[in-house]
Amino acid sequence: MVKVVIIGSGNVAQHLIVAFQNAQNSGTEIELVQVYSRQTASVAHLLGLEQLTNNLDDLAEADLYIIAVSDDAIAAVSSQLPFKNRLVVHTSGGVALNVLNDDNRKGVFYPLQSFTKNKPIDFKTIPICLESENATDYQLLDKVAKTISDTVFAINSEQRKALHVAAVFVNNFTNHLYQIGQEICLENKVPFEILKPLIAETANKIMVLSPEEAQTGPAKRNDTATIEAHEAFLSQENHLNIYKTLTQSIQENGKKL
């Protein structure tokens, strides 16, 4: 039985709690023995009070400690752990393994997904990127990861940094463009729902085509008249600048192909 402690109570921590509980219920050899949170009320709806603590000195003995806190807090939290030579990992995509305190064995347990509180997600579909300092610890991380996900990768810190930057482009930036599209619709009394089938089809195409093959639109076609009309329509300077930047990027990419 692999015993796991989660340190944190944010989006990632809460989804991990649910994922490990589901794994336990399916009979896998894993046990979520404890969760640390400064405010235990934030996760009290997910597990019993006997499994919660707000004191790092009271952390239970476990095979794996998963720090799921904000990037800026990882180093400080790892330096406050009251034990040595145990396996401690963080869940960040943008933080290197070596920020963890040297008192313990280090690793990374990075689920690559966008998490939102109270939005259920099938953890089995989420890629988990693993890194450790030695092969034995990696084997343990791999065993734990495979109890909650069907997709596990060995990814070092530099590769993970690249993945995290790429994820910002395909997820965070894309979602911001959805917001701009919604604002344009609302300003012109057009239901944003009309665009949702287009959004879904664009995402679905990437499952079977490369982004280059899937690219369409006036920038791809170099339709100058349409581009100029769009630029004249956009009254907000920020929207106009984004439109021009992305149009130029698409056109320059087309020249390279």
Side-chain angles (χ1 to χ4, degrees), residues 39-245:
Q39 297 180 337
T40 55
S42 62
V43 288
H45 63 292
L46 295 176
L47 66 176
L49 292 177
E50 70 282 357
Q51 292 176 279
L52 293 171
T53 183
N54 59 5
N55 187 345
L56 289 173
D57 290 329
D58 292 335
L59 287 176
E61 185 171 344
D63 302 294
L64 174 62
Y65 297 82
I66 301 176
I67 298 178
V69 299
S70 65
D71 289 1
D72 291 342
I74 292 172
V77 170
S78 70
S79 68
Q80 296 173 49
L81 298 179
F83 44 69
K84 293 184 179 182
N85 198 34
R86 298 187 189 178
L87 180 54
V88 176
V89 303
H90 69 66
T91 60
S92 172
V95 175
L97 176 147
N98 60 16
V99 305
L100 293 167
N101 190 274
D102 291 334
D103 283 347
N104 289 289
R105 307 189 322 270
K106 306 173 186 178
V108 176
F109 192 95
Y110 170 47
L112 203 168
Q113 186 52 271
S114 174
F115 294 102
T116 303
K117 285 182 181 178
N118 303 319
K119 170 62 171 65
I121 192 166
D122 181 6
F123 224 96
K124 283 291 185 181
T125 67
I126 297 176
I128 299 182
C129 303
L130 304 178
E131 183 179 5
S132 68
E133 294 180 301
N134 63 68
T136 301
D137 286 340
Y138 184 87
Q139 290 172 0
L140 177 63
L141 292 178
D142 185 65
K143 179 179 181 179
V144 172
K146 286 177 178 177
T147 66
I148 60 175
S149 173
D150 292 331
T151 313
V152 179
F153 295 94
I155 300 290
N156 65 38
S157 288
E158 283 301 308
Q159 292 172 321
R160 187 160 31 83
K161 184 188 299 182
L163 266 177
H164 196 245
V165 172
V168 168
F169 273 94
V170 304
N171 175 247
N172 306 125
F173 288 170
T174 301
N175 189 74
H176 183 62
L177 295 179
Y178 294 158
Q179 181 182 346
I180 291 175
Q182 183 182 49
E183 290 172 0
I184 292 171
C185 286
L186 291 175
E187 289 169 2
N188 292 275
K189 297 180 173 57
V190 176
F192 180 65
E193 284 70 21
I194 295 176
L195 292 175
K196 289 184 177 179
L198 175 63
I199 292 170
E201 173 61 16
T202 301
N204 288 334
K205 278 196 293 187
I206 299 303
M207 300 300 108
V208 295
L209 299 174
S210 71
E212 289 85 0
E213 292 171 323
Q215 186 67 59
T216 62
K220 171 72 172 180
R221 298 190 301 269
N222 198 29
D223 191 342
T224 304
T226 299
I227 292 170
E228 291 177 349
H230 288 174
E231 292 177 352
F233 174 83
L234 292 168
S235 57
Q236 291 193 34
E237 183 177 359
N238 185 47
H239 294 176
L240 177 59
N241 289 337
I242 291 172
Y243 185 96
K244 287 182 175 180
T245 298

